């Protein structure tokens, strides 16, 4: 089964799922090609795409799921029984029966034609039982699902499952199965604690190469903050040398006591390296489950919202009046973060909740280890408060910051459902997103719009880059039919905040002419009466059911506030929260 891999500029790894990830992460493209037994589209792609050299993150879909846990008083318990699982007993071990195979049918949106969906495809993966009649798997295994079924080991029946929560940033999904028979004579898995280096690890799942359960063994090679390919985020990860193959995604990894220590989810592909697989640790899984139980839905990991620079150079520290060999420089603050009310460019963060931050952006971790500063932030929940130690102009001060989920001007993942769109006289407007860029190909987007997508920050919550994706040719739009993928900036002189705002401006317009202003001062003007006369025929000719997505039919409420200049240019630093460039910059 062919899997197309794309080279990555910074860190490349491979997600193991047959699900195709359509999101282009800045300066690297990660494509998850699906194991699709009945998709002609996938067969065509495998012929056209040649093997990729270099380092890549590769999602492989025979999905796998996280480990079930035991709870007491709704709190996660780590059962650390000291019994050892001998290799001879592995075949009969009860915990293997908690690992199931996932069958998912996906129907992804068509971002270029947002009023319809793409052809459905199927994939398989792994999952496991965690108690309370719930299962864990990877989010990329059940992305854009229309049907999810699971099958137990040694069972010939498949059971319908429901996706309760999907954490894209941490690549975890929570499933439930209503059937009583499915839960008969099975026990959920027990979660173990974070492993140490060289601890033995066993990966269990349903990868390609057969239909029965598969077991591979290895050791823990590394524990550090890792780039999550599907989630475009940086969270704690466990690197192992046990084989992880397409279909292992969502499956558990066990220690010698038969406890689940994580969820298999991606591998690192490189001509210079071998046997590098990654497991989502139980600390991240526990955060996901606690978030879901606390809020009734998954809200995501928070961020500090600052771009920081390492302070390794002694002269730089002296110039900033930092006496000790510690701290990171605040180079940029996101306008939508609470840190924008507290921090300033040029501040030096020397502590986070009284934990000292080193000059390389690391903090103490366990014994004789250090880990990236991001780790402390990821232990918090959205809405939590953190106390920062700051050096400003040589003076030490304390400041409290509320941590919230990051606001992306151009989202890496669109919410489940259809993308927003608006058709006016054949002009198709839609918000810019990474899935759309991936689908359209970067060459057709244009360098200026691509740079804005890669480098700009949202100035206020709810802001979007609205583009004219294409023009459906008709007499009413003569002269505009060659326009495509251009940002619309103003409507009748009013700057556009998002696509819902654009729809509201058009609906409330009583002028004879509708004037759309695009980047580089390009203007398109349409007559309102001609639009009304041509709309129904355009929809009929192109087989489009509605002129707008359902979310734009709701009343528009303007709650957006913008304190930044409307014409603010994009910055000079990537907005990704995981990239670390040669200048030592990274997002916290």
């Amino acid at each position: 089964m062919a899997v197309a891999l794309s080279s990555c500029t910074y860190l490349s790894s491979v997600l193991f799922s047959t699900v195709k990830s359509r999101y282009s992460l800045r300066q690297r493209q990660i494509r998850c090609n699906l194991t699709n037994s009945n998709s002609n589209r996938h067969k065509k792609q495998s012929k056209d795409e040649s093997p990729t050299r270099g380092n890549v993150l590769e999602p492989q879909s025979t999905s796998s799921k996280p480990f079930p846990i035991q709870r007491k008083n709704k709190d996660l318990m780590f059962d650390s029984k000291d019994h050892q699982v001998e290799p001879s007993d592995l075949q009969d071990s009860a915990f293997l029966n908690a690992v199931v195979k996932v069958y998912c049918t996906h129907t992804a949106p068509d971002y270029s034609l947002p009023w319809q969906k793409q052809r459905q495809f199927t994939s398989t993966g792994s999952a496991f039982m965690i108690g309370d009649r719930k299962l864990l798997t990877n989010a990329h295994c059940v992305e854009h699902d229309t049907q999810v079924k699971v099958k137990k080991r040694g069972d010939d029946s498949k059971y319908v499952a429901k996706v309760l929560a999907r954490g894209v940033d941490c690549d975890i999904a929570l499933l439930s199965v209503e059937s009583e028979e499915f839960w008969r004579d099975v026990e959920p898995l027990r979660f173990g604690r974070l492993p140490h280096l060289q601890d033995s690890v066993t990966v269990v799942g349903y990868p390609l190469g057969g239909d029965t359960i598969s077991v591979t063994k290895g050791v823990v090679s590394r524990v550090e903050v890792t780039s999550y390919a599907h989630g475009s985020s940086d969270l704690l990860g466990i690197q192992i040398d046990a084989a992880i193959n397409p279909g292992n995604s969502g499956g558990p990894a066990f220690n010698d006591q038969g406890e689940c220590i994580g969820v298999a989810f991606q591998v690192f592909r490189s001509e210079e390296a071998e046997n590098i697989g990654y497991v989502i640790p139980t600390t991240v899984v526990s955060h996901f489950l606690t978030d879901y139980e606390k809020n009734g839905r998954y809200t995501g990991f928070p961020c500090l919202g600052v771009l920081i620079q390492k302070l390794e150079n002694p002269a730089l520290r002296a110039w900033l009046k930092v006496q000790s060999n510690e701290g990171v420089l605040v180079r940029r603050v996101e306008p939508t973060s609470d840190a924008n009310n507290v921090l300033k460019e040029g501040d030096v963060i020397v502590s986070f909740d009284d934990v000292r931050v080193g000059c390389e952006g690391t903090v103490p971790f366990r014994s004789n280890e250090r880990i990236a500063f991001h780790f402390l932030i990821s232990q918090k929940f959205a809405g939590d408060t953190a106390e920062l130690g700051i050096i400003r102009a040589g003076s030490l001060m304390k400041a409290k910051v509320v941590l919230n989920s990051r606001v992306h001007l151009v989202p890496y993942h669109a919410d489940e459902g259809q993308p927003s769109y608006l058709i006016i006289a054949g002009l198709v407007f839609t918000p810019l997103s990474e899935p759309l860029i991936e689908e359209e190909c970067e060459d057709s987007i244009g360098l200026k719009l691509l740079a804005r997508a890669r480098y700009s920050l949202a100035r206020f919550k709810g802001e979007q880059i609205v583009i004219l994706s294409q023009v459906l040719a008709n007499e009413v739009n003569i002269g505009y039919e060659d326009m495509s993928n251009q940002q619309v900036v103003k409507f009748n002189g009013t700057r556009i905040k998002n696509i819902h705002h654009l729809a509201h401006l058009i609906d409330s317009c009583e002028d004879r002419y509708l004037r759309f202003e695009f980047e580089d001062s390009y203007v398109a003007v349409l007559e309102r009466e001609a639009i009304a006369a041509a709309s129904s025929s355009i929809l009929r000719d192109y087989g489009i059911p509605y002129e707008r997505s359902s979310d734009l039919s709701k009343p528009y409420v303007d709650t957006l506030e913008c304190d930044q200049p409307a014409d603010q240019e994009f910055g000079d630093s990537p907005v990704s929260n995981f990239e670390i460039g040669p200048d030592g910059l990274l997002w916290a």
Side-chain angles (χ1 to χ4, degrees), residues 500-563:
H500 205 165
H501 183 222
L502 174 60
H504 169 71
L505 293 175
I506 294 174
D507 292 342
S508 57
C509 177
E510 298 181 357
D511 297 345
R512 179 180 178 182
Y513 295 103
L514 278 63
R515 186 177 78 257
F516 300 90
E517 299 178 41
F518 299 86
E519 279 285 289
D520 299 324
S521 301
Y522 195 93
V523 178
V525 177
L526 300 167
E527 188 176 17
R528 186 155 58 91
E529 293 183 359
I531 294 174
S535 293
S536 59
S537 62
I538 291 175
L539 296 179
R540 182 178 62 253
D541 292 344
Y542 289 90
I544 302 173
Y546 305 105
E547 67 173 6
R548 64 183 64 189
S549 54
S550 58
D551 59 315
L552 301 185
S553 299
K554 301 176 183 178
Y556 174 74
V557 179
D558 190 358
T559 60
L560 306 179
E561 298 180 0
C562 177
D563 297 329

Side-chain angles (χ1 to χ4, degrees), residues 207-254:
L208 299 179
D211 293 328
T212 58
I213 199 166
S214 169
V215 178
T216 59
K217 293 183 68 66
V219 297
V220 174
S221 307
R222 185 180 289 151
V223 178
E224 65 178 1
V225 173
T226 302
S227 292
Y228 281 43
H230 180 70
S232 67
S233 57
D234 266 4
L235 297 170
L236 190 65
I238 303 172
Q239 179 183 320
I240 64 174
D241 67 354
I244 299 178
N245 295 298
N248 275 123
S249 285
F254 295 97

Side-chain angles (χ1 to χ4, degrees), residues 290 350 367 409 547 575:
T290 303
V350 295
S367 60
L409 178 63
E547 67 173 6
V575 296

Side-chain angles (χ1 to χ4, degrees), residues 113-176:
L113 304 173
W115 51 85
Q116 66 184 33
K117 293 198 172 189
Q118 301 180 29
R119 182 175 179 175
Q120 73 176 24
F121 58 91
T122 61
S123 70
T124 60
S126 307
F128 59 91
M129 305 174 186
I130 60 170
D132 294 337
R133 297 197 169 195
K134 292 182 176 61
L135 301 163
L136 278 182
T137 188
N138 285 143
H140 71 261
C141 294
V142 292
E143 184 178 32
H144 303 305
D145 65 286
T146 51
Q147 184 184 69
V148 180
K149 294 181 291 185
V150 294
K151 185 171 73 171
K152 294 189 298 182
R153 179 191 181 204
D155 196 341
D156 199 34
S157 300
K158 296 177 183 176
Y159 303 87
V160 175
K162 178 182 178 182
V163 179
L164 299 178
R166 187 183 289 104
V168 174
D169 54 356
C170 59
D171 202 2
I172 301 175
L174 184 66
L175 311 180
S176 67

